[in-house]
Amino acid sequence: MNMIVCIKQVPDPEAPPASFKIDPATNKVIPPKGVSPVISPFDENAVEAALKIKDAQGGKITAISLGHNLLRDVVKKPLSMGADELVLLEDEAFAEGDSWTTAYALAMAIKKIGSYDLIFCGRQAADWDSGLVGLGIAEILGLPSVTLARKITPGNGKVTVERVTADGYEVIETPLPAVITVSNELGEPRYPTIKGIMAAKKKEPIAWKPADLGMETAKIGPAGQHAKLMKLFQPVRESKCELIQADTPEESGAKLALRLKEAKIL
Amino acid sequence: MAEYKGVMVFGETVEGKLSPVTAEMLGAGKRLAKDLGQELCAILVGGDVSGFAQEAVALGADKAYVVNDPLLKDYQTDAYVTVMEKVVKEVMPRILLLGQTTIGRDLAPRLAFRLGTAVSMDCIDLAIDPGSKLLLQTRPVYGGNAQAVFTTELYPQMATVRAKAMSAPERDASRQGQIINIEAGLSPSAVRTRIVQKVTEKVEGIKLEEAEVIVAGGRGIGDANGFKQLEEVAKLLHGAVGATRPPCDNKWVPDSWQIGLTGKIVSPNLYIAVALSGASQHMSGCSGAKNIVAINKDPEANIFKEARFGIVGDWKKVLPAFTQKVKELLAA
C-alpha cells in the first residue's frame, strides 16, 4: 500500500486569540512572537490515518508539504510519527498562491511520485479553513474522493470509509487509488517516539522545485490564483460581561440563577 | 458567448422539507438577485424531488430546476458533481450558492475545480459590489480569529453559506414560478463510489440546532461523569448538552455533541458555557447565541469577552448551587 499524506505548516491555532494580529496594510497575519507554527491539526489526523493502515497491513507513507519558510522541525513531524519519506515543495514562487495553485502543485508532485493507492489530506487547514485542496487534487488527478473520514479500511483493491455526517455516519466504498480527507473523529494522532524523532533528524527531505514538476508558470503563485482576497480583518468585539460577585462560588451560582430570572432569560 | 446570469441556490431537503439553510440561501439570493436586477432560481437534485419545487418558489425563487434520477437518491460525489456541471453549463448562473453542509462541503469544492472557477466556503455575508457587480464573499478564517472578503472574476461565482448566518424569507404560498425539468443524463459507470450503509445516531431529547437552551462543557469538565451534571441542568431547562472538541476527542461525549467550526452551528436563547475557554473555533459555532453565560476559573479566558454574564470560579462548586436555585425558581 503506497500512501501519500499532504501536510501544511500553519500558525498554531491553539495560540491564545489575544495574540492573533493582522497587518491591514498587507492583508496578512503577523506571526505571534514566541509561538512556533505547527502542522495543521487535521493533517496530523491524516498522518495518523495512514499510520494506522501501515500498522495493520504495512506500506509506505510519503508526506508532502508545500510552502515557503518551512521549518524543518515542524514539517518533519510526520517522519517522527512514522512516515517513510518527506517531499518538500518549497519555493518563493509558491508564495501568494491559493487553494487552486496549491492543489495543482501537489497533484503534479503526486504524479511525479507515480505510484500511490491512497492520498490523504486533512479535512481543512487551520488557517484558511476552506477544505478545497484535497478535492482539488482528486479532480486534477481524476480520482474518486471521500471527505470527512473517521475510519478507513483498505482491502481487495478497494477502500471502505466511514464518513462523518451531521447526524451519524455513512459507509462508502471506493476503488483505489482514491483521495480521502480526514476529520478529527478518526482519533488523536500519536506522539512521536524518541526513536522516531532521532530517525527524522537524520532523514533528508526530497526537495522539488516548480521546474522539477514540469509546472506551467501561469498556474503558480499569484498568476494561478482563482480567488482574490480583498480584505482581511478582525471583527471588533465589545466585551460587556457582567461578572456575578459573591463571597463563595456556591453563592455566585445561586445569584446567577436569580440574575437570569430577573433578566427574563430563565 | 452566452452570458452568466441570475442567482442559483442548490436546495437540500431534510426530513421531507427544504432544509433551513436552503430557505436562508433563498432569502440571501433574492437580495443579491435584486441588486443585480436578475432572477433567483433553485436547483433541486435527487431521486424524486419535484415536490419541493413549489416550496422553493414560495420562498422566493422565480424558477425551480429539477433533476430526478434514481442514481441521485442519495448524495454521491461523482453523481452530483457530474449533474451539477451539466446544470451549470445549461443554465449558466452568475452566482451559485450551496449550504455549508455535509453535502456542500463535498460537492462545492470539487464542482468548482471541475468548472474551473473559485468558491468561498462557509460564508457569513454575501453582497454585490456596487461598482464591479462582483460577488463579495465574507467568511471567517483562522478558526474565526479573522474574517476575509474574497471575490473572483471567474463564473459562476460560487459560495457555500453557513447555517443561521442569513435570514429566511417570508413564505408566500401564492407565488407563481416556472418549474423546469433537466435530464440527469447520468450513466451508472460514472459513479465510482458505493454507499454501503447509512447510520443515523439517534438524538435523545432536543436537537442542538433547535434547542433554546444549551449547556456546553469544555476540557475543564474533566471526564464523562462531569457531563452528567450538565445534562441535569439542560434537562431542567428543556435544553440540550453540547461540547467543545476536546471532550469529543476524549470520548467523554458523542462526536455529534461538538459545537463549533467543524461541528454544529447553534443559536439558542441561552448558552451556558461551562469550563470552556472560548477558543475562536468553538465560538464559530455558538456566536449566534443571544445570551452567553460563562463559568470558568480562569478570569483571562476568552469566553468572558463573549459572555453577557460570567462567574469566575470552579464549576464544580458553582453549577450545583446554580442548579439548585433554578429548581427552586421553577417550583415557585
Side-chain angles (χ1 to χ4, degrees):
Chain A
M1 186 72 45
N2 283 311
M3 294 174 280
I4 292 172
V5 187
C6 302
I7 57 159
K8 184 177 191 182
Q9 174 180 304
V10 297
D12 189 351
E14 299 280 326
S19 71
F20 187 88
K21 295 278 177 317
I22 283 168
D23 176 6
T26 57
N27 270 341
K28 277 186 183 145
V29 174
I30 304 167
K33 282 208 177 73
V35 183
S36 170
V38 295
I39 299 293
S40 183
F42 294 120
D43 298 352
E44 287 197 9
N45 294 122
V47 175
E48 179 61 32
L51 287 168
K52 279 197 165 89
I53 293 168
K54 189 180 164 179
D55 289 346
Q57 44 182 269
K60 183 183 172 190
I61 301 172
T62 306
I64 312 182
S65 192
L66 173 140
H68 60 291
N69 303 326
L70 297 176
L71 300 180
R72 291 300 179 268
D73 283 348
V74 174
V75 292
K76 277 191 169 183
K77 190 164 182 189
L79 290 175
S80 60
M81 289 168 74
D84 301 280
E85 295 287 349
L86 175 65
V87 174
L88 296 182
L89 312 179
E90 195 176 20
D91 200 282
E92 276 298 312
F94 291 130
E96 310 285 324
D98 63 7
S99 301
W100 283 264
T101 58
T102 303
Y104 170 65
L106 290 170
M108 293 300 277
I110 291 165
K111 263 191 200 168
K112 190 175 166 77
I113 291 169
S115 104
Y116 48 82
D117 303 296
L118 282 168
I119 299 164
F120 294 106
C121 296
R123 60 175 288 176
Q124 66 199 58
D127 48 4
W128 294 101
D129 289 316
S130 286
L132 295 173
V133 167
L135 286 155
I137 292 170
E139 187 59 29
I140 293 166
L141 297 175
L143 300 176
S145 53
V146 183
T147 51
L148 310 180
R150 66 169 210 183
K151 191 176 176 195
I152 302 143
T153 319
N156 302 325
K158 284 185 284 199
V159 60
T160 307
V161 183
E162 286 185 16
R163 175 178 191 257
V164 178
T165 59
D167 53 6
Y169 65 96
E170 54 192 13
V171 183
I172 298 173
E173 192 180 84
T174 178
L176 299 175
V179 175
I180 293 168
T181 78
V182 180
S183 192
N184 56 288
E185 286 85 353
L186 181 111
E188 295 271 316
R190 67 195 62 190
Y191 287 103
T193 59
I194 300 289
K195 203 177 136 206
I197 294 168
M198 296 308 287
K201 269 205 167 43
K202 278 185 232 147
K203 186 96 194 165
E204 233 358 86
I206 299 162
W208 286 338
K209 296 283 175 187
D212 298 322
L213 302 175
M215 291 179 68
E216 298 169 44
T217 44
K219 292 185 179 178
I220 307 172
Q225 275 182 9
H226 280 49
K228 286 195 187 352
L229 176 64
M230 309 294 281
K231 193 176 159 195
L232 185 65
F233 64 100
Q234 283 179 275
V236 184
R237 280 198 199 91
E238 262 182 76
S239 177
K240 36 183 191 262
C241 184
E242 179 185 323
L243 286 179
I244 310 285
Q245 309 281 0
D247 291 337
T248 67
E250 289 82 3
E251 261 176 63
S252 65
K255 259 175 101 172
L256 172 65
L258 291 168
R259 186 69 187 91
L260 291 180
K261 173 93 180 165
E262 194 181 279
K264 298 195 164 54
I265 298 167
L266 275 190
Chain B
M1 204 180 104
E3 203 188 338
Y4 286 92
K5 262 180 101 170
V7 179
M8 176 180 270
V9 169
F10 176 85
E12 285 186 47
T13 61
V14 57
E15 289 161 5
K17 285 192 293 204
L18 282 181
S19 69
V21 72
T22 302
E24 290 154 22
M25 286 191 288
L26 287 167
K30 193 76 186 171
R31 187 169 46 80
L32 299 173
K34 203 172 148 235
D35 288 350
L36 287 167
Q38 297 177 357
E39 283 187 336
L40 172 69
C41 72
I43 171 73
L44 300 161
V45 177
D48 178 15
V49 285
S50 302
F52 303 102
Q54 182 50 43
E55 183 62 12
V57 170
L59 290 169
D62 301 302
K63 284 181 187 152
Y65 295 94
V66 180
V67 189
N68 286 320
D69 192 297
L71 285 171
L72 299 167
K73 186 177 160 288
D74 291 306
Y75 174 78
Q76 294 212 72
T77 316
D78 284 342
Y80 273 59
V81 172
T82 306
V83 161
M84 282 304 293
E85 179 192 12
K86 181 170 186 269
V87 167
V88 167
K89 285 182 173 162
E90 278 183 40
V91 181
M92 297 188 72
R94 182 181 173 88
I95 292 172
L96 172 59
L97 305 180
L98 301 91
Q100 176 78 355
T101 60
T102 312
I103 292 177
R105 283 183 157 116
D106 190 271
L107 172 60
R110 195 148 185 170
L111 179 62
F113 273 90
R114 177 82 48 98
L115 294 167
T117 186
V119 58
S120 286
M121 303 297 288
D122 204 15
C123 291
I124 53 169
D125 190 31
L126 296 168
I128 301 294
D129 182 272
S132 66
K133 298 285 175 197
L134 294 175
L135 180 66
L136 300 175
Q137 309 148 349
T138 305
R139 51 183 303 263
V141 293
Y142 286 88
N145 278 317
Q147 291 181 10
V149 183
F150 283 97
T151 195
T152 182
E153 289 172 18
L154 298 164
Y155 294 96
Q157 305 196 306
M158 284 178 64
T160 66
V161 173
R162 178 178 289 191
K164 296 178 174 156
M166 296 172 196
S167 333
E170 290 283 320
R171 190 174 178 278
D172 176 2
S174 68
R175 272 191 98 247
Q176 301 282 315
Q178 210 183 338
I179 293 165
I180 303 153
N181 283 295
I182 295 181
E183 282 293 314
L186 202 58
S187 100
S189 63
V191 187
R192 291 167 287 187
T193 54
R194 185 173 77 85
I195 299 176
V196 181
Q197 197 189 359
K198 277 169 105 81
V199 180
T200 306
E201 282 160 357
K202 248 191 118 178
V203 181
E204 278 175 46
I206 299 158
K207 280 187 175 181
L208 276 170
E209 295 95 321
E210 290 160 13
E212 279 300 306
V213 177
I214 291 174
V215 187
R219 205 192 299 263
I221 298 295
D223 56 25
N225 238 349
F227 271 89
K228 294 267 184 296
Q229 292 190 49
L230 271 56
E231 281 177 62
E232 191 194 339
V233 188
K235 212 169 168 190
L236 208 54
L237 298 171
H238 305 287
V241 184
T244 61
R245 226 183 90 179
C248 301
D249 282 349
N250 287 319
K251 306 291 167 209
W252 302 340
V253 299
D255 289 325
S256 58
W257 287 18
Q258 191 192 325
I259 292 167
L261 188 64
T262 57
K264 301 236 161 27
I265 309 279
V266 300
S267 57
N269 180 42
L270 174 60
Y271 193 84
I272 306 178
V274 188
L276 63 87
S277 68
S280 305
Q281 291 84 352
H282 176 67
M283 298 318 296
S284 300
C286 62
S287 55
K290 281 177 204 73
N291 300 288
I292 296 179
V293 172
I295 303 172
N296 200 298
K297 63 181 177 193
D298 175 10
E300 299 299 317
N302 188 60
I303 190 67
F304 290 114
K305 295 198 177 71
E306 314 274 351
R308 181 169 166 203
F309 299 102
I311 294 179
V312 178
D314 182 356
W315 74 271
K316 284 182 186 153
K317 292 184 177 137
V318 174
L319 199 66
F322 172 75
T323 311
Q324 185 54 40
K325 195 57 157 184
V326 170
K327 269 187 201 160
E328 286 171 31
L329 291 172
L330 290 176

